[in-house]
Every structure is written in C-alpha cells, then in structure tokens.
Amino acid sequence: MESNVGLLERKEAVREEYEPNTPKGSELQQELERRMESLGPANGRPEVPEFVLRKEDNWEQFGWKKADKEEVLAQIKSVLGLDDTYAKNALENIVASNTSPEDAKRLISKSMYDEAFGHFKKPEPQEELDAEKHGGPAIRELSDEEAAKRAKTALFRGMGIKEAYIRRFILANDYRQENKQEYDDVMPADLYELAWNLTVFDQENFGVNGKFPVLQLQVEHKNDEEGKPIVEGRYVVNESNFMRWIRYQINVWYDIDTDEVTDYFNKMVITKNQYTSVSLGTMLYNHERYFKDENGQKYDQLYQQALVEPLMMMYMRGYDIEYKNVMGDEAKLAETITKSFYLNKMTRKAFQKSFLYYQTTLGVDFDGTNSDSKMGEAWNKIYLAYYNLGDFQELQKVLGKDSDFFTKKGMIDAITTVYEKKYKATGLPLMGKVLGEKEKDFEAAFDANGKISTEKNREAFIRFINFFVKPSNDEDLIDVVRGALRNSVSSLLVSKEGNEERFDKVTVDGRVEDEHTVGVAELIAYSWLRISGAAAKNDINAAGFDAQSKWLRTEAYRRKMATNERGGGFGNPYTVAMFKQVLVDVFRGTNVVNAWKHDKNGEEVRRLTPLEVMTNMQAITGKYEKEREKIQDKLGISTSEEAKKEAKRQLSDLDNLEKVDYKLMAGKLEFDDNALKQYALDHVNRAKTIYDQIMTAHEIDFDKFTVYDSAVRGVSFKRAEFQAAVQKEFLTHLRYLLASYDKLNFNMDVRSQVFTGRDEKGKDTWKYETMPLGQAIFGHLILDVPLFRKKAKDITEEDKEKGYKRKGLYLVDRDGKHVIDYDKVQSSEGKTYAWKQWALMKLGADMWTHIDRHSRDPAYGIAHYIDIIEALESIPGEVFGDETDMRKSRVTKSFFSHEQMKWLRRISGTTDFKLFTKAILTDIFQSKHRKEGLFSESANTFLGAIFKGY
C-alpha cells in the first residue's frame, strides 16, 4: 500500500469506483494533467525542524541513549529542583542545543551548580572596588532565591540555550513576574511571540505542556564533516493547535451567543491588559506581522485557514439564525433564503475553490495543503445523518449498523454527558423524568439487549430522536441527539498533535481525543440544517411550522389539512395527490460543474448534485473506517511493540489514501458562479408562488377575458388580461420552477415518503421509498402519457425482477400502472412536456371542481368549459412572421399540443361527449326552474360550435 500516493495517481481509481462508465478526459485535459505531474502546490509555509522531541521514542539518532535521558532528567530534578514538567522541557532544550550527554551531566552536576550559586550569592571583592571607584552603587548581596535563579540561568545559558527559552519554558516559575510583565505590556512582534502569548493565555489547553501545545520544540538532525551528529532546534508554532485554539473559541462563544451571530474576529481575543489585548481581527488585518515568524518567514496558508474557518462559521450561523427568525412565514422565508443565497457565499470561489469545498475538507490537524480531511468527513457524516433523521434505513447507511448511536448504551452515554454538564453548572440533582414525554419512546426503542431489532423499535427510535416534527422540543433532548451524533464521529476526530501525557485515552498510533474539533464539526452540520431544507425534510408528520416543509412535503401537508381534525385550507381537493412537492432542497436542487452521471455507454446523462457528491464522500469515509476496524481487530489485545508499530504504519497508509480519495471527490464541489442565487430566485421564489396558488384554490377566472362568439370566431379574449392571469401569473412561474431552472434531475434516485393510508385514529401513514425525483414531484397521472411510458420492447432483466410486465405497447408495474421512464422526463423535450402537463393538471382539476357531481363548487353552463378549452388551445407556442407583410404572420404551433389538449379533456371530463351528456341531463333536471325549453341551452351551445366560422 502506497503511503505517499498522490492525487493524480489515485484519480483513475476513484473515478472507476464512484463514477463508473466515466470516459477518460479529453486530449486537452490529459495534456494538462501530464503537465501538472511535474508541479507541486505552492508551499506558503517555511521550512521548520522536522522532529518533535517529545514524540520521538528513540533519541539515539541525536546521540542520546535511553539511559542518558533518564540520568540527566534525574539530575535536573535533584540538582536544580525543577518539577517533572519543566525538567522535561529542560532536557529537550539541552538536546536541541546540541549538548552531548556527557557535557550535560557535567554542567548540571551539584558542584557546578554550587559554584554558580556561590558566585551570584556573594560578589567578588574586586567587583565591589570597581563599583566604588566609578561612583556606582554598592553591590548588594543577593537573596538565596535570586542567586539560585541566576545560577540555574547561567548553567543553561552555558549550554547555548536561548535566554527567552530559559525564562519562558524552563525556569518559568522563577521568572513568573518578568514573564507576566512582558505578557501584559508588550504587543507580540511576530507569530512566535503571538503563539507564546497564547500559551500564557491558556496554559491548560494550549501551553507548551498543555493538551494541545501551540509552541513545541522541534529539532533537525544533521551530521558534521566527521559524521558527528549535530542537532539544531527551536520552538516552532504548531499550526494545527493554533487552529484548534480558534475552534475552541468558536465552541466557547456558541455557548454564550446561542442565538446570535458571533463576530469572531473581534471576540476571539488574547486578553492582556486593557491597552494591549490582541483580537483575531487584529492578527488577520496585520497578517504581515502576526503570520510571520521570528526569522521573517511567512505562514500564508495558516493565515488563510485562520481567516476561512471563522468566516465560514459566521456565514453558516448567520444563515441559520436568520432562517429561524422567519421560518413560520412563507413570504418572509422565501425572502430570507433569497437574501442569504444572493451573494453565493458558500459556492463562490475563494482561494481558488468554493467555500463548501474547504468546509468539507477541513482537517483535524491543519498541515497546509497536506492536511488531513477528517473534520470535513465528520461534519459531512453528521449532516447526512441529520438529513436522514426520519429515515431509519438511510440513517443506518450513513452511521453504520454497528454504530453506538443505535444502542441503548450509546444513548445513555450521551444522556449522561448532558446531565453531567447540567449538574456541574447548577449542583442540582435530576428532577422529574430525565427525557420528559420522550421517555416512553426511548424505552420502546430498544429490546432487552439494548438493540433496535423490530419494526416497533425502529418506529419508536425515530420518534425519540427526530426533533424536527414539532415547533418546540425539550432542549435537553436535542442536546442528547447532538451529543450522540458527536460521539458517533469522535473516533474520526483524534489528533496526532495532542500531548499524550494529558489524556487518558490514546489510540494505538498515538492520537488523542479532540473535543474542540468535534464540537465545531457538529456545529457546522447543525447550522446547515434549516437553510438547506434538511430539517424541513424530516418533518415527517407534516406539522408545517417550518414553512419550507410545506414546499418540500406539499402533498403530506395538504392531506393533513384535509382531515376532520384540522379542517384547514388545502386548495383544490382533486390535486392533493398530484402535486407531491413544489420545492427540491438546495443540495438536491443544485448541480456541481464538473461531475456527471454517465450511462452504460459513457454518455453524459446529467450533472451530479452536491448531495450525491457528499454521499460519495461519505462512502469513501465508510470504506476506510471498515479497513481501520479490520486492523484494530487483528491487533486485538496484543501488547507486542512490533505489532503496534505495524498497526501504526498500516493506519498511516490508510490515512494517506483516504485523504487523497476524499479530497479528489470533494474537489468536485465546484459551482456555476450564481448557483445559489439562481436557486433562490428561479426555484425557491417560484415554488412559493405556485404553492400559494395551490393552497388558496386559486383558479383562473376565464370570465374576465373570454368572450364567446358562436357566429364568427368562437372564443375571443382580451389578450392583456389573459397574459397577465395565465401566462405571467401562472405559466411563467411554473416554467421557471420546473424547466427554465434546469438544475433539477428528474431521473435521480431519492428517498421520499409515500402515502400508505390512514390508521385507526385517522392519522396519515407514510413510508420511505427510493424513487426517481420526478416521481417524488409529479403525481402518476401527470406523467402517464405515451411520451413518458416505458415501452414493452425495452424491458430489462432489472424490470422483470421488479415485477414489471408487458401490456400492449407498454410496461406496467405490479399495481397495473404504466411504468414511467424518467430518463425521458429528464430530457429537454421531456422537461418542457412535463411542466405543461403539470399546468394542465391544475387547469383540469379547476374545471373538474365545477363538473364533478360530488363537488360543492358552483356548476357552470357548457359554454363556460368550451370557452376555457378553446382559450387554452389558442395560446400561441410558435409564431412565424414576415417582415415584409404583417398579415403573413401565423401561429404555426400551439403552446399545448393536440395530444395534451385531448389528455386535458379526458382528465377534466370536458370531452364533447361528456359535456353534451352533462348538458342534456342538466337541462332535463333543471328545466322547471328555467324559462327556456328542454335542451335549449345545450342545443344552442353545440349548434353554435358546429357552425362557427361559416
């Protein structure tokens, strides 16, 4: 297994696995790739000493044996009185200063220390005489403490250790006052000084001996001309831990500003005194100062990362909070989504890639362009779990069937964490039921073994975890689910940059838990939920408190309103099952630029959606997780050092391969320049308008613009009123929604809920199924036309497995319905035809409400329906003009085809036969209330229609 495999080397392997049938690139693309093979990414980072002494098991390459380490460390403690922490710092500095073990033992001997102490304790007589001769002050005798400090300093200085290192990292207790004064009063001069300020600001987390040291002693091993080892070392900024400080601050401020967008650039501050505190904004604004080390070397990539991470988080928090403030108001919500997406902040390019790319490839340990992608993998996994929180089958695919998330123990662990925090904060014992009204669902979710094994368990589990089904939830419950999801990815988010001595749990390859990164990863996913539609999608009870759920689950919400319990407005009852959803959420309703779905012949079928790319990224993560589990299982409880080394090597190889494969897939998250803006304007806003027309039973009032002249021209209409009511207010919105907005992939498989009936309590029941997006949007009748039906001659083995059969020219499913070919719906011709079918379905249903004998809407005379049909037939679809003769202009094609008008007449009950039959029956049963004779109205109407134009 190649541990140093590159992006170009892995590209074909990833393509073949996750995008089968994809042809090789063009000659141009292949030529560019050949040229790129000789290039490397711009570094933007200085060369630094490679080895971190504290993490090196073997110091022999530096001329120090294990016995030497132990002996000198013991001397430092006994002779100089340093505690264990500072003694280790001293030992590292001694090695880094190229001092040999022999010299170290000699210089730190008690005799050397006593000599130095005596020198500083009592000055030589000659020094006193020199001071008196030159009129200087008399040299006073130093205190024991001061003399000891100077003696120790002199010994370390004699080994070539820098003064600042001695004062800050070895004798920090002796120089506490001097260090404090410098920290309080002196502004950092460079990145090294800034990092030292961070270590002082938070010793526990980021000090040299803290959990995640921001400064660490790194050394370079060289040999002189004679082959003698030479060691050069210095304190270097740990970029990973510098970024971890930023994540720590994000978590801190989230707890404080729960419902606010935190200005991280002003609130992330290294607090000094009232005059010299340093904010993140100051660091970034003066990046030429603060992201340059003491040698003048720039840290451009660290500067970029320190800017990007909090900026992305501010964008996401802003989207989330603005959304939540208006989520119950359809008009305000559509306006807010448009405002949020107008500038395309998450899809536009910054530093040559989209913010969404950077967000999904965030590393646990930042290492420039060579960073891992674990943080991105984690939040992507959590987001996909949230996205499927109401769909047990898909949720298991995302997290894995064996995840602790699906066990009683795993949930109790998360519950314990929530209540531990509460207890520590308040000191109060648990009051009442721990989970409130959800406790019954929690108990019903697990069998006697604490597992989810039955359908009833699954249903109860979804009821327990899905907090998107009602407007208000117990905050502790939400914290439990969030905590359980954090726990589900915590094994991904372990750091190689942590101080192992400060952690109880250390992995086989020396990695430690990283709660700072875990918290931000989950927060990113959580902040995406509302604006992306994931939360609304999981409103499986169609409560509708989030207005987007009404657009995403239109059929479900209307069915709910059309119950005896609700009695709410639901529009025309005949379209409830026809218009399943009017909106597609943003990650399924937008496309990436350069990733395609190909057919078996390698032909491009459609662009992929961000969700498909993110799902492929999750599949890569899942594959490598399984590989790691195999290695851990093989290792078992073995304590063999050789086995651990081999496991460490294999895990490192897997990390490198995963990083490359994952980033290759994430690299596809590139978008058109106005992707989100177009989605908001042409899809969200149009969906809101069409939804309003559906829910208010908005009908087109043909009486306003239709005039029937049986003797001359048939139906005439006022063109301005007609265009305003039909074309502008209805057809234009629908066309943009389903066709002009060309990012919808009607043949893309999605998971969507299907209505299965009502239970004994009158509650709607639904189940998740996998289906093409077109099936999730259109009722079957809308697309059940010859153009879209799958032909019998094209039956496949897969069709036979599904139970499809030939019936005449077409295939039918097990229920006897024609099988729809959604590849045909996705075609350019198909999209145009499909949205027109949608329009005719609404118009046909509007007419049927006045025809159906069960309807309570007012009935109209036969002439009214003929007026409507002829008005629709007269809408021009294609006009031919002649610039030399205006009178030669002709309408060469109608907007709705002859076949579509026949279909409309059939579904709306307005065929000539049905209308005539209805008219006769109406005349018979209503003649006693009229002055006209029997058959008079119907006869006059049809005679007028027959002889029109003569």
Side-chain angles (χ1 to χ4, degrees), residues 884-901:
T884 64
D885 189 344
M886 177 188 70
R887 292 172 296 177
K888 289 184 179 179
S889 296
R890 295 287 185 273
V891 175
T892 58
K893 186 180 291 185
S894 296
F895 184 76
F896 294 112
S897 69
H898 177 69
E899 291 76 13
Q900 285 183 309
M901 293 308 301

Side-chain angles (χ1 to χ4, degrees), residues 207-267:
V208 170
N209 299 292
K211 288 185 174 181
F212 294 102
V214 174
L215 279 175
Q216 60 189 19
L217 190 60
Q218 294 184 204
V219 298
E220 195 70 34
H221 170 224
K222 302 177 181 179
N223 291 319
D224 63 14
E225 295 178 355
E226 299 177 358
K228 180 182 177 182
I230 299 174
V231 182
E232 295 178 357
R234 63 189 177 97
Y235 277 94
V236 175
V237 175
N238 184 306
E239 297 176 73
S240 299
N241 291 337
F242 186 92
M243 290 308 306
R244 198 161 277 108
W245 171 73
I246 288 178
R247 294 168 190 170
Y248 166 72
Q249 290 286 311
I250 288 174
N251 287 319
V252 167
W253 283 104
Y254 177 66
D255 282 343
I256 298 171
D257 291 345
T258 305
D259 295 318
E260 300 290 337
V261 180
T262 304
D263 180 359
Y264 297 121
F265 299 112
N266 284 316
K267 289 192 174 181

Side-chain angles (χ1 to χ4, degrees), residues 97-381:
S97 68
N98 202 36
T99 301
S100 67
E102 293 72 24
D103 286 344
K105 295 171 188 175
R106 176 177 57 80
L107 290 169
I108 306 176
S109 65
K110 189 169 189 314
S111 60
M112 288 294 289
Y113 171 74
D114 288 343
E115 182 180 338
F117 178 82
H119 173 78
F120 289 107
K121 178 63 179 173
K122 186 171 184 178
E124 293 291 334
Q126 184 60 44
E127 291 179 335
E128 297 229 25
L129 290 173
D130 289 342
E132 185 176 337
K133 179 178 179 181
H134 291 92
I139 297 178
R140 64 179 178 82
E141 185 176 295
L142 300 179
S143 66
D144 287 349
E145 292 79 4
E146 184 65 23
K149 179 171 73 174
R150 294 193 184 190
K152 288 182 280 188
T153 302
L155 291 179
F156 288 119
R157 192 188 298 126
M159 288 183 272
I161 300 174
K162 293 180 181 179
E163 189 82 31
Y165 292 1
I166 298 169
R167 177 163 50 84
R168 293 172 174 176
F169 310 123
I170 301 175
L171 302 178
N173 288 332
D174 296 292
Y175 284 93
R176 183 177 287 110
Q177 188 57 41
E178 291 92 333
N179 288 339
K180 182 179 185 305
Q181 184 176 355
E182 181 180 6
Y183 173 81
D184 285 343
D185 299 339
V186 180
M187 288 291 283
D190 49 45
L191 182 60
Y192 164 76
E193 293 293 336
L194 179 65
W196 176 70
N197 275 253
L198 266 177
T199 69
V200 176
F201 176 69
D202 190 344
Q203 288 280 357
E204 173 67 22
N205 278 295
F206 304 108
V208 170
N209 299 292
K211 288 185 174 181
F212 294 102
V214 174
L215 279 175
Q216 60 189 19
L217 190 60
Q218 294 184 204
V219 298
E220 195 70 34
H221 170 224
K222 302 177 181 179
N223 291 319
D224 63 14
E225 295 178 355
E226 299 177 358
K228 180 182 177 182
I230 299 174
V231 182
E232 295 178 357
R234 63 189 177 97
Y235 277 94
V236 175
V237 175
N238 184 306
E239 297 176 73
S240 299
N241 291 337
F242 186 92
M243 290 308 306
R244 198 161 277 108
W245 171 73
I246 288 178
R247 294 168 190 170
Y248 166 72
Q249 290 286 311
I250 288 174
N251 287 319
V252 167
W253 283 104
Y254 177 66
D255 282 343
I256 298 171
D257 291 345
T258 305
D259 295 318
E260 300 290 337
V261 180
T262 304
D263 180 359
Y264 297 121
F265 299 112
N266 284 316
K267 289 192 174 181
M268 288 186 185
V269 176
I270 301 175
T271 305
K272 295 162 74 68
N273 62 35
Q274 59 179 326
Y275 304 110
T276 59
S277 294
V278 187
S279 69
L280 178 62
T282 299
M283 301 174 202
L284 296 170
Y285 183 76
N286 296 313
H287 63 91
E288 288 290 337
R289 170 178 180 171
Y290 290 111
F291 288 89
K292 186 183 290 183
D293 69 14
E294 70 275 23
N295 295 324
Q297 297 294 314
K298 292 182 178 180
Y299 281 68
D300 291 335
Q301 291 181 1
L302 180 61
Y303 159 69
Q304 174 183 318
Q305 195 74 7
L307 171 64
V308 166
E309 287 199 25
L311 189 61
M312 285 191 297
M313 200 68 250
M314 287 174 68
Y315 287 161
M316 294 312 308
R317 294 286 296 136
Y319 289 168
D320 187 46
I321 290 169
E322 288 180 13
Y323 186 104
K324 288 176 179 176
N325 287 337
V326 298
M327 59 191 278
D329 186 312
E330 288 111 339
K332 289 182 179 178
L333 182 57
E335 181 182 340
T336 296
I337 293 175
T338 303
K339 176 184 173 184
S340 297
F341 285 166
Y342 198 81
L343 295 179
N344 299 280
K345 290 178 180 177
M346 297 309 296
T347 58
R348 73 182 182 190
K349 278 189 176 181
F351 303 108
Q352 304 308 308
K353 296 292 286 185
S354 72
F355 268 168
L356 190 57
Y357 164 80
Y358 285 115
Q359 201 172 60
T360 53
T361 56
L362 290 170
V364 171
D365 293 325
F366 175 72
D367 189 21
T369 55
N370 196 41
S371 296
D372 64 82
S373 54
K374 297 294 186 182
M375 183 179 179
E377 292 177 43
W379 87 252
N380 182 54
K381 184 174 183 176

Side-chain angles (χ1 to χ4, degrees), residues 895-910:
F895 184 76
F896 294 112
S897 69
H898 177 69
E899 291 76 13
Q900 285 183 309
M901 293 308 301
K902 285 179 64 176
W903 180 85
L904 171 65
R905 283 175 170 265
R906 179 173 59 80
I907 65 146
S908 63
T910 55

